[in-house]
Amino acid sequence: MKKRIIVLFVAAILLLSGCENPGSKGQTVEMDTKNAMTFTLFSEPVQAGEDVVVLVETRKDPGFLTMAVRVDYDTSAMTLTKAENGSDFLSYNFIPSKKMQSGCKMSWFTPSLQKTSDEGELLKLHFRVFDDTKAGEYPVTISPVNDGGIVDRNKKLITVAAGSGIIKVN
């Protein structure tokens, strides 16, 4: 019962943190990432004015109880319209940011770890590319929030490296 209260408390803190000021710099974990959990991002090419989904997958996931990430993207080319829990983490409580803007945070928590695979689909980010966006490649970055809240089943900190991908506009 005490473990569940701690997990819910950490999740509430992550939820209340919402989004950072878009002009401020977020902190990310700066550690040796050789054995770190990582994020891989995938998307299909898109035309200006269209919607695109970016899939975020985990690699080397040791199994986390709680985690929060920051989502950054090029606001001159697109806007984030929706965030959904990934298909491999449906047993987790997912808390998307209330404000879908660059720099916003998404968080997950579970009172009991059930995931056993070391990789899987964590997050689906839905973007709308602006009508006047020029052809090119636009970055999307997922960074761990460095607040001590990314922990494993033993409540030990997990090293997580940021992941980047691109949205290619044809």
Side-chain angles (χ1 to χ4, degrees), residues 80-96:
L80 180 61
T81 59
K82 182 179 177 182
E84 295 180 274
N85 199 10
S87 61
D88 293 316
F89 289 86
L90 295 176
S91 64
Y92 281 73
N93 293 297
F94 172 62
I95 305 166

Side-chain angles (χ1 to χ4, degrees), residues 131-151:
D131 292 336
D132 61 349
T133 299
K134 297 188 184 326
E137 295 182 348
Y138 298 90
V140 177
T141 303
I142 306 297
S143 306
V145 175
N146 187 16
D147 64 358
I150 304 175
V151 297

Side-chain angles (χ1 to χ4, degrees), residues 12-125:
I13 290 172
L14 294 174
L15 174 63
L16 293 174
S17 66
C19 289
E20 294 181 20
N21 177 343
S24 69
K25 292 184 178 179
Q27 295 181 338
T28 57
V29 176
E30 300 289 339
M31 297 182 203
D32 173 21
T33 58
K34 179 180 175 189
N35 295 313
M37 181 173 135
T38 60
F39 304 113
T40 305
L41 288 71
F42 302 95
S43 71
E44 295 291 325
V46 68
Q47 300 291 325
E50 293 182 343
D51 295 330
V52 63
V53 176
V54 174
L55 298 178
V56 179
E57 294 185 355
T58 60
R59 300 280 191 264
K60 298 182 187 176
D61 175 7
F64 65 88
L65 287 176
T66 61
M67 178 169 62
V69 299
R70 177 184 162 115
V71 178
D72 291 291
Y73 59 92
D74 188 336
T75 58
S76 70
M78 68 194 89
T79 188
L80 180 61
T81 59
K82 182 179 177 182
E84 295 180 274
N85 199 10
S87 61
D88 293 316
F89 289 86
L90 295 176
S91 64
Y92 281 73
N93 293 297
F94 172 62
I95 305 166
S97 178
K98 291 181 181 180
K99 296 179 182 177
M100 295 290 156
Q101 62 189 34
S102 188
C104 64
K105 296 176 186 174
M106 312 290 167
S107 59
W108 294 259
F109 71 94
T110 184
S112 61
L113 189 61
Q114 297 174 11
K115 186 171 181 325
T116 56
S117 174
D118 67 348
E119 57 186 57
E121 182 183 290
L122 176 69
L123 180 62
K124 291 180 187 176
L125 298 171

